[in-house]
Amino acid sequence: MKNNKVAILVDSCNDISEELTQKYGFYTMPLVINYKDRSYKDRVDITPQEVYDSFKVEIPKTSLPLRSDIDALLDQIKADGYDNIIASIISSGLSGTYQSMYLIADDRDDLNIEVINTLNIGIGSGFVGIYAAELLEQGLDFDTVVDKTREAVSNSSVIFGLETLEYLMKGGRIGKVSGILGSALKIKPIISCNTDGIYDTIAKVRGRKQSINKMMEIARAKVGNHKNYYIALCHGDALDEMLQMKEELKDLISNAKIYSEGQISPVLGVHTGPGLLGIGVMILED
């Protein structure tokens, strides 16, 4: 039974595919990409590829969703007949979106809004929203879904490798990522979010091929013997390499409860640059 009294709101950096967005009826709140002459809503009026193509001319800045846009989306959810909202929001350690959403939720007396700090980014955050949607589909009540979703945050992760750390550094999102000086040696850090929701290096390898192999090895280790998990592959202007990873991980993919793939959001692309490859894994209760 679908619980029609609860809506799930995600931000655009949750990187949930259009297919899954439609399936679960997610409401998506776009972050903003700012060029010198105009601003765009993430994934709404600019594509990831357009952002990468523009880098030769200008590297844009990013900003939080506008207060007016958040309120308009909340008004829409209320107009659609919902009283309760679960909001799956990217890590407070990487963006002010969580804090902004939390303060607005606190102001809205007309809606019961629980804002979940996923301590993650990309599909690592998206899986948290998807998990909440799956619990609602099982007919669980709002409070139970919120509690179980919060408990499950630490079971979701995304690991990724970059062609260069230049964009993370420019955007001030470098976190605890080390290996910057290793660029001359072709050292490639494998990056994930730590328990504080900040980027951290979980492995270092030399060269692109080793980086891809190491990511797949880490993903396999995360899945281990678990029978119940979600998995996703993502890329930033690196489709062919993602499809090669898909071929090598087809056994994990075929056994996953949910599989998703696609290009990361334009906002994330601004901070990571072209050449990102990533794998998201969320372990569920067996």
Side-chain angles (χ1 to χ4, degrees):
M1 182 194 80
K2 182 134 171 116
N3 189 333
N4 288 318
K5 290 286 180 73
V6 183
I8 297 181
L9 182 154
V10 298
D11 62 62
S12 60
C13 293
N14 272 239
D15 273 352
I16 297 173
S17 69
E18 185 59 34
E19 180 189 354
L20 290 174
T21 297
Q22 295 293 332
K23 178 181 177 183
Y24 293 112
F26 293 128
Y27 290 85
T28 305
M29 178 176 71
L31 276 76
V32 180
I33 295 174
N34 302 301
Y35 289 89
K36 289 192 184 83
D37 59 346
R38 67 165 297 187
S39 295
Y40 298 86
K41 290 181 185 176
D42 194 27
R43 280 197 194 272
V44 175
D45 44 27
I46 192 166
T47 66
Q49 200 58 50
E50 285 169 332
V51 167
Y52 296 123
D53 292 345
S54 76
F55 280 171
K56 300 176 192 71
V57 181
E58 180 187 351
I59 296 174
K61 303 275 195 287
T62 62
S63 58
L64 308 182
L66 300 170
R67 167 86 199 225
S68 56
D69 286 347
I70 297 175
D71 272 325
L73 184 58
L74 294 176
D75 290 343
Q76 177 65 54
I77 293 171
K78 184 162 179 60
D80 288 346
Y82 295 97
D83 305 311
N84 300 299
I85 300 173
I86 296 171
S88 169
I89 305 296
I90 54 170
S91 175
S92 60
L94 295 171
S95 168
T97 306
Y98 169 78
Q99 183 67 12
S100 180
M101 188 69 216
Y102 183 85
L103 292 171
I104 290 169
D106 205 37
D107 273 353
R108 294 285 299 232
D109 296 332
D110 57 332
L111 289 163
N112 182 22
I113 307 171
E114 288 286 346
V115 187
I116 294 176
N117 185 356
T118 64
L119 298 173
N120 228 308
I121 197 83
I123 196 61
S125 292
F127 279 159
V128 174
I130 290 166
Y131 179 68
E134 291 260 296
L135 293 176
L136 286 173
E137 291 217 320
Q138 293 169 26
L140 299 179
D141 66 83
F142 178 71
D143 291 339
T144 304
V145 172
V146 169
D147 290 345
K148 279 182 163 287
T149 302
R150 286 196 202 284
E151 285 165 16
V153 162
S154 59
N155 297 338
S156 186
S157 60
V158 65
I159 52 174
F160 60 94
L162 302 175
E163 192 64 67
T164 171
L165 294 176
E166 167 192 358
Y167 297 92
L168 270 192
M169 291 169 67
K170 279 181 181 164
R173 300 298 199 284
I174 199 74
K176 293 175 175 284
V177 175
S178 51
I180 302 161
L181 301 175
S183 55
L185 302 169
K186 301 263 193 293
I187 298 293
K188 302 281 188 189
I190 309 284
I191 302 166
S192 191
C193 292
N194 66 14
T195 51
D196 295 322
I198 299 168
Y199 290 145
D200 206 350
T201 303
I202 56 171
K204 285 185 209 169
V205 289
R206 183 167 281 133
R208 180 74 162 181
K209 191 167 190 325
Q210 292 299 325
S211 169
I212 292 170
N213 288 339
K214 187 66 177 176
M215 279 192 286
M216 292 193 292
E217 180 190 313
I218 293 168
R220 286 191 180 281
K222 282 181 179 290
V223 172
N225 295 319
H226 292 284
K227 302 282 187 284
N228 205 359
Y229 59 90
Y230 305 154
I231 192 164
L233 299 181
C234 53
H235 75 98
D237 201 19
L239 176 62
D240 290 346
E241 288 171 302
M242 187 198 81
L243 293 175
Q244 287 168 8
M245 283 169 51
K246 182 179 180 179
E247 181 61 27
E248 294 196 43
L249 293 171
K250 60 187 177 190
D251 56 318
L252 283 193
I253 290 168
S254 64
N255 290 317
K257 188 171 184 199
I258 286 176
Y259 168 67
S260 147
E261 67 180 47
Q263 184 140 255
I264 60 170
S265 81
V267 161
L268 295 183
V270 168
H271 294 291
T272 52
L276 174 141
L277 287 167
I279 307 173
V281 176
M282 184 168 186
I283 304 301
L284 311 168
E285 296 163 1
D286 285 332

